[in-house]
Amino acid sequence: MASILLHSLAPSPPSLRHTFLKSNHHILQQTTKRSISFTCQSVSDDGDDGYLLDAPVSAGDGFSFSGGKYSDGPNPADEWFKQGKYMKAHPVYGTGEKAKDPIFGLAMGGSSQASTDVFRWFCVESGNVDKPSVILIHGFPSQAYSYRKVLPLLSKDYHAIAFDWLGFGYSDKPQPKYGFDYTLDEFVSALESVIDELGVNKVSLVVQGYFAPIVVKYASNHQEKLNDLILLNPPLTAKHANLPSTLSIFSNFLLGEIFSQDPLRASDKALTSCGPYKMKEDDAMVYRRPYLTSGSSGFALNAITRAMKKDLKKYVEEMRKILMNDDWKVKTSICWGQRDRWLDFDGVEDFCKASKHRLVEIPMAGHHVQEDSGEELGSIIAGVISRKVRI
């Protein structure tokens, strides 16, 4: 089995010139100093105080952040970056022109330009390459970092790999119309390229949230390659096919572009509004980093959200048909975080019974199961794959 033969990355400090927008859309500050520090707090429309990232779930849906830190010194994002490698997969289509921002049409900086031939994907792998392979696929919006607690648990008996989708984390973030338009069909094709590049003959796939229909569509055409498929809080019902307002706002013209450049909305709120998260500041810093260092992260978020609003319903319906079809032979399990604020549990149990797929409920987890209950999920995945899990 081929390992990921890639060149290691030496982290380079990101550009420190950036504009940080508060949720009231006014510019908070802009600086080019070597060390940047800021304090910011978002306030809800009704004037009530928001809640800190560490607040209990009873505080409600909203967000507030105080005491942020960002500098060119030691940073949790740098430590995570050091663990990864770049792999190249999926050809770049288009004219090869330099990308321009979608609002003013100005040429974007070098950090916002994608590869010219084949896209770069940021991957983190652990375990022995001679052992069974497990690919961990994050949801929308998230990063491979969300599986940081799962990877060590699987590495004992498996070759575990987590990657950032194009447009997320540290993978390339091409501007739409410059090689990748972020359609759901393109993501299916891109996933095929990634798995082919990894060189695995048989693999188990774990996928979370709104990217589940994309992975299921890929799997339906490559059942012979799969040992197991594990879906984490996937959109299974017609109601699930509607994006929550926290995400759908990024599809709006102009307002979506503004919000997508605000790390508190694009990263923090997107991760904390969908479950009972108690996110540590060090973890939040890793998720924010792409939005702080390049506008391309926000523009990619706009494009993906618009594609989801356009085609997610069709993909969810197709996923249901695939998983219910008698021709579907892949062993499939659905893990469900019961405290998901975006996707309710109604209809999930009935679907699993009708399709004869196992259902594993995780009472204390929210939508991003791997972020909320990483150690527990790691044990469940290992048990499912080894056939030792009890349902």
Side-chain angles (χ1 to χ4, degrees), residues 5 136 152 176 187 240 269 362:
L5 300 178
L136 307 170
F187 275 115
H240 291 170
K269 188 172 184 179
I362 305 179

Side-chain angles (χ1 to χ4, degrees), residues 245-283:
S245 59
T246 308
L247 298 182
S248 63
I249 189 68
F250 297 117
S251 68
N252 290 357
F253 176 69
L254 192 55
L255 188 60
E257 273 80 4
I258 294 173
F259 283 1
S260 69
Q261 300 301 323
D262 177 355
L264 292 181
R265 282 188 175 271
S267 179
D268 292 27
K269 188 172 184 179
L271 288 169
T272 59
S273 67
C274 57
Y277 295 98
K278 297 180 180 179
M279 187 179 297
K280 296 180 180 179
E281 167 63 3
D282 282 353
D283 295 328

Side-chain angles (χ1 to χ4, degrees), residues 160-232:
I161 306 163
F163 67 83
D164 287 332
W165 284 106
L166 293 180
F168 293 92
Y170 299 96
S171 290
D172 276 344
K173 303 170 187 66
Q175 295 305 293
K177 300 180 181 179
Y178 292 92
F180 195 80
D181 289 336
Y182 299 98
T183 67
L184 303 195
D185 287 344
E186 283 179 303
F187 275 115
V188 174
S189 178
L191 177 61
E192 181 175 3
S193 297
V194 167
I195 293 177
D196 288 346
E197 182 64 26
L198 290 173
V200 293
N201 295 322
K202 295 281 285 187
V203 65
S204 294
L205 298 180
V206 180
V207 57
Q208 188 272 328
Y210 293 105
F211 275 118
I214 291 169
V215 174
V216 170
K217 184 167 184 177
Y218 161 81
S220 68
N221 296 320
H222 302 279
Q223 293 193 52
E224 74 286 352
K225 288 188 176 182
L226 272 64
N227 287 320
D228 288 90
L229 177 66
I230 301 176
L231 309 177
L232 313 177

